[in-house]
Amino acid sequence: MIIAIDGPAASGKSTSAKLLAEKLKFLYLDTGAMYRCIALAVIENQIDIKNKQSLKDFIDNFKLEMRTINGVSVFLINGENVSKKIRSSSVSKKVSEISAIPSIRKYMVSMQRSFAKNTKCVVEGRDIGTVVFPKATIKFFMIASVEVRAKRRQLELRRLGEEITLKDLQKDIEARDKYDSERSHSPLKKAFDAIEIDTTNMTLRDQLSVMVKNVNLKINRK
């Protein structure tokens, strides 16, 4: 059983997905973090993403692992835990561009399907219900105002020791929304059968309640 959760940056996908997976005792798969991992590796290794051979060599040698430690999913690149590093603002600014590259998306989608194979899984990202798991049992599409999303992102960065103004974060989020929605390969869009949840004025408890209610309704209809 796959539960797909899509939506733009800082709309509440990750936190809600974690809580839902915990509530249902499902595997939680954060595909956004997976793309952040590959973006971090591209940045740190100074890969020329316009050079097809360099990009191919990089992908062929890229090793990503996901583990659950004390109930928390952590990501390792070639054995190094990068779960904190991937949340930096430098990665946020590059991840949309890098994740739009067809060869990278093909590689990552294959890995995502492999991780979720034969499991009960909550998967969140930007193209889960439309591309990765179009036959997911239930799909959610989460949205929120740019202002609220910028505030959420600012709090996340502060926990990492970074301080960025709300104005700059709003610009970054708007630019990323535009890029993600207009890219030619696997753009961000709501699946026709997805349930939209506006989290602008919702607490985490409210978000979880709505999702659990809809999941239970779907299961009971079977």
Side-chain angles (χ1 to χ4, degrees), residues 39-91:
L40 174 68
V42 165
I43 293 167
E44 292 190 338
N45 290 282
Q46 299 181 327
I47 304 300
D48 180 0
I49 59 176
K50 294 182 180 179
N51 185 311
K52 290 185 178 181
Q53 188 58 50
S54 294
L55 193 58
K56 182 181 183 304
D57 292 342
F58 163 72
I59 292 173
D60 287 345
N61 291 286
F62 181 72
K63 297 292 185 292
L64 177 64
E65 296 177 73
M66 183 182 71
R67 298 179 187 171
T68 301
I69 300 176
N70 296 325
V72 178
S73 295
V74 298
F75 290 91
L76 298 91
I77 298 176
N78 299 326
E80 179 193 357
N81 186 342
V82 295
S83 300
K84 289 186 178 179
K85 291 171 72 174
I86 61 174
R87 301 299 173 181
S88 69
S89 57
S90 60
V91 171

Side-chain angles (χ1 to χ4, degrees), residues 16-56:
S16 294
K18 289 176 189 174
L19 292 173
L20 183 61
E22 183 179 327
K23 177 78 173 178
L24 300 175
K25 293 182 171 54
F26 280 22
L27 173 70
Y28 163 60
L29 183 57
D30 180 353
T31 65
M34 293 174 70
Y35 280 108
R36 282 177 173 271
C37 286
I38 205 163
L40 174 68
V42 165
I43 293 167
E44 292 190 338
N45 290 282
Q46 299 181 327
I47 304 300
D48 180 0
I49 59 176
K50 294 182 180 179
N51 185 311
K52 290 185 178 181
Q53 188 58 50
S54 294
L55 193 58
K56 182 181 183 304

Side-chain angles (χ1 to χ4, degrees), residues 75-116:
F75 290 91
L76 298 91
I77 298 176
N78 299 326
E80 179 193 357
N81 186 342
V82 295
S83 300
K84 289 186 178 179
K85 291 171 72 174
I86 61 174
R87 301 299 173 181
S88 69
S89 57
S90 60
V91 171
S92 294
K93 289 178 180 179
K94 292 290 290 183
V95 68
S96 287
E97 177 186 5
I98 292 168
S99 64
I101 298 170
S103 59
I104 285 180
R105 293 204 75 82
K106 181 179 179 181
Y107 170 82
M108 297 300 275
V109 167
S110 176
M111 184 178 292
Q112 289 157 15
R113 288 173 176 164
S114 176
F115 280 159

Side-chain angles (χ1 to χ4, degrees), residues 112-134:
Q112 289 157 15
R113 288 173 176 164
S114 176
F115 280 159
K117 188 177 181 180
N118 300 321
T119 65
K120 293 181 177 180
C121 191
V122 177
V123 191
E124 61 103 341
R126 283 170 175 71
D127 63 349
I128 307 306
T130 55
V131 175
V132 186
F133 296 107

Side-chain angles (χ1 to χ4, degrees), residues 2 12 14 37 93 117 130 149 166 175 208 221:
I2 301 292
S14 296
C37 286
K93 289 178 180 179
K117 188 177 181 180
T130 55
R149 289 159 59 203
L166 283 175
L208 181 61
R221 286 197 197 109

Side-chain angles (χ1 to χ4, degrees), residues 168-185:
D168 286 341
L169 285 170
Q170 285 183 31
K171 287 182 179 179
D172 287 346
I173 286 173
E174 288 170 344
R176 189 171 176 189
D177 284 352
K178 180 177 173 62
Y179 195 100
D180 287 345
S181 299
E182 296 180 358
R183 68 191 182 204
S184 58
H185 194 72

Side-chain angles (χ1 to χ4, degrees), residues 87-90 93 150-151 153-169 172:
R87 301 299 173 181
S88 69
S89 57
S90 60
K93 289 178 180 179
K151 288 178 182 177
R153 182 68 181 136
Q154 188 180 56
L155 288 173
E156 182 180 37
L157 289 172
R158 278 177 178 167
R159 288 194 289 269
L160 296 173
E162 292 188 53
E163 189 63 50
I164 300 179
T165 67
L166 283 175
K167 184 177 180 180
D168 286 341
L169 285 170
D172 287 346

